[in-house]
Amino acid sequence: FLFGGLEREVGASEGLVLDACAAPGGKALLMADLAGARGRVIAADASTKRLAALVRLRTRWGAANVSPLAADALRPPFASAFDAVLLDAPCSGLGTLARNPDIRWRLASEDLARHATRQRALLESVASLVRPGGRLVYATCSVEPEENEDVVGPFLAEHPEFETEGFPPWADPFRAGDFVRVDPAHHRGDAFFAARLRRAGRGRGMW
C-alpha cells in the first residue's frame, strides 16, 4: 500500500518513468495504469527470466504504455533522461521475514555489506538518468540501516544536485525523519523504506 502512494503520484503527471529493477512488474503496471495514455513506463530488469514473467503480466493486464526492456541498471542503455526513476533496489529481504523465515538461515552477516555495495552502485548509476527537476525514489524491503540510510546519506553528501523532498500526507504515519519506514515491530506487514529525492534544475518533474 505504501508503493501505491508513490505510484499514485506518478500517475498525476504525464512523462517518462523508469522502473529500474522492475520484475516481476506489479509496480510498473500500476504506475502505467495511473499515468494513463499520456505517460510511459520503461520496465527494465537484468534478468531475462524475470522479464519474461513481466511481459506475460503486461499482456494479461493490457498495459500498452509499459515497455519491458532487458537492461542492467548498473549499465543503463539510455541516451535520454527520465522525469522520474524508481529504484526498488535488490536487498537482503530481511523485512519479509514473517513471510520468508528461511531468510535467516540463508543470509550471512557479510551479505549485508555485499547488498549495500551493490545498492550504492545502483543508486549512483540511475541517478544520472534523472532530468533536472525530476525525481528519484530509492526503496527497499529491509529494516537495516546499512541498506537504507547508510546508502542514501553518502549519496546525498556526494551529490549536492539532489536533495530530500517531503512525502505527501498519506505517509505521515510512517515518517522517519526525511524518509518513510514501515517497521513490522510497529506496523502490520513487511518492512519498507523509501527516500524521495529531487534533482535541482528546471524541468517537467513528476511525483
Side-chain angles (χ1 to χ4, degrees):
F1 70 95
L2 197 51
F3 263 130
L6 298 177
E7 290 147 350
R8 193 173 302 115
E9 293 181 14
V10 173
S13 302
E14 63 181 83
L16 183 63
V17 181
L18 172 65
D19 188 348
C21 298
K27 296 182 296 299
L29 292 175
L30 183 53
M31 287 190 292
D33 209 22
L34 294 167
R38 296 185 302 170
R40 183 184 177 202
V41 177
I42 306 300
D45 204 274
S47 168
T48 54
K49 182 178 179 180
R50 286 167 56 83
L51 193 68
L54 188 156
V55 171
R56 292 192 295 270
L57 182 60
R58 182 200 63 162
T59 300
R60 293 199 303 271
W61 195 274
N65 57 340
V66 173
S67 299
L69 179 69
D72 187 345
L74 288 172
R75 293 175 290 275
F78 304 110
S80 60
F82 291 81
D83 296 293
V85 174
L86 171 62
L87 175 60
D88 183 12
C91 67
S92 65
L94 283 170
T96 67
L97 274 174
R99 292 188 294 111
N100 302 291
D102 58 306
I103 290 177
R104 71 180 74 241
W105 312 118
R106 293 189 284 106
L107 198 68
S109 57
E110 60 270 19
D111 288 336
L112 277 182
R114 176 175 57 82
H115 281 297
T117 297
R118 185 183 184 196
Q119 289 153 355
R120 285 192 291 269
L122 285 167
L123 185 57
E124 183 78 25
S125 177
V126 302
S128 65
L129 303 177
V130 180
R131 71 168 69 249
R135 185 173 286 122
L136 169 62
V137 172
Y138 172 84
T140 74
C141 56
S142 173
V143 295
E144 304 303 319
E146 294 93 330
E147 299 184 86
N148 297 323
E149 291 91 345
D150 293 352
V151 171
V152 177
F155 171 81
L156 289 171
E158 296 168 7
H159 292 275
E161 71 274 23
F162 282 92
E163 62 181 6
T164 58
E165 187 175 41
F167 284 85
W170 58 259
D172 286 348
F174 313 103
R175 292 187 189 278
D178 290 330
F179 312 122
V180 294
R181 175 188 294 275
V182 176
D183 187 340
H186 305 289
H187 310 110
R188 297 179 62 181
D190 293 339
F192 177 83
F193 171 90
R196 190 170 181 246
L197 312 178
R198 174 76 74 176
R199 185 167 194 165
R202 302 185 64 180
R204 294 185 307 164
M206 46 191 312
W207 297 7

